[in-house]
Amino acid sequence: MRRLIVPVLAVLAVSGAALGTAVAQDADDGPKKPNMHDLYHNSSLPKSHADFSRYRYRPPGDKVIEQPDAFRLLFQTKDGQPDGYAERRGTSVFYYDRYGKLRQIQPLPEDEPVD
C-alpha cells in the first residue's frame, strides 16, 4: 500500500506547486499590454497610402475596406459578410465576386506624360 501512496503524493505535490506558481504569475501581470496591431494604429509611423479614386465599381450598399499595401478594396455587406474584392494588376483593375470568380475588368487610362 505504501508503494502506491508515496508516488501519488509526490505527483500531487509537484503538480500543485506548478499550478500555484502559474496562478501567482497570472495575478501579478497587471493591466493587459497592447498587441502589435494596437501599437501600429496608435503610432506616428507613416501609413501606406494608395489612390483608389480610379476604381469605379462599388457594389451598392456595401462597405468598402481599403488595403493600400496590396492595392486592393474589400467589399462587405451591411451585416459584415464578404461580398467580393477589387485589386489592381498592371494597368487594369479586376473585380471579383464573393466566391472569387472574376466579375469584370476595368482598364485604367494611361497617365499623361510630363513635359
Side-chain angles (χ1 to χ4, degrees):
M1 180 80 162
R2 185 174 179 192
R3 274 189 186 168
L4 182 63
I5 294 174
V6 172
V8 169
L9 290 176
V11 169
L12 289 175
V14 172
S15 64
L19 181 63
T21 57
V23 170
Q25 287 176 354
D26 288 342
D28 63 355
D29 278 347
K32 184 179 176 185
K33 297 177 183 172
N35 61 20
M36 293 300 289
H37 297 288
D38 295 335
L39 291 174
Y40 172 76
H41 288 298
N42 296 328
S43 74
S44 61
L45 293 172
K47 310 291 191 272
S48 295
H49 177 73
D51 181 21
F52 294 109
S53 63
R54 299 197 287 177
Y55 288 44
R56 298 287 178 222
Y57 176 75
R58 306 251 197 298
D62 279 5
K63 177 180 171 185
V64 177
I65 300 171
E66 296 181 355
Q67 290 185 330
D69 296 335
F71 289 103
R72 181 169 50 194
L73 293 178
L74 299 177
F75 306 121
Q76 287 184 348
T77 60
K78 291 181 182 179
D79 60 347
Q81 297 296 320
D83 198 27
Y85 63 97
E87 67 181 356
R88 181 177 175 184
R89 291 188 186 172
T91 60
S92 300
V93 178
F94 291 78
Y95 296 93
Y96 297 91
D97 64 5
R98 69 178 66 198
Y99 304 108
K101 294 183 180 179
L102 186 63
R103 180 181 289 172
Q104 68 185 38
I105 299 173
Q106 172 196 339
L108 293 174
E110 294 292 325
D111 292 332
E112 294 183 14
V114 178
D115 292 332

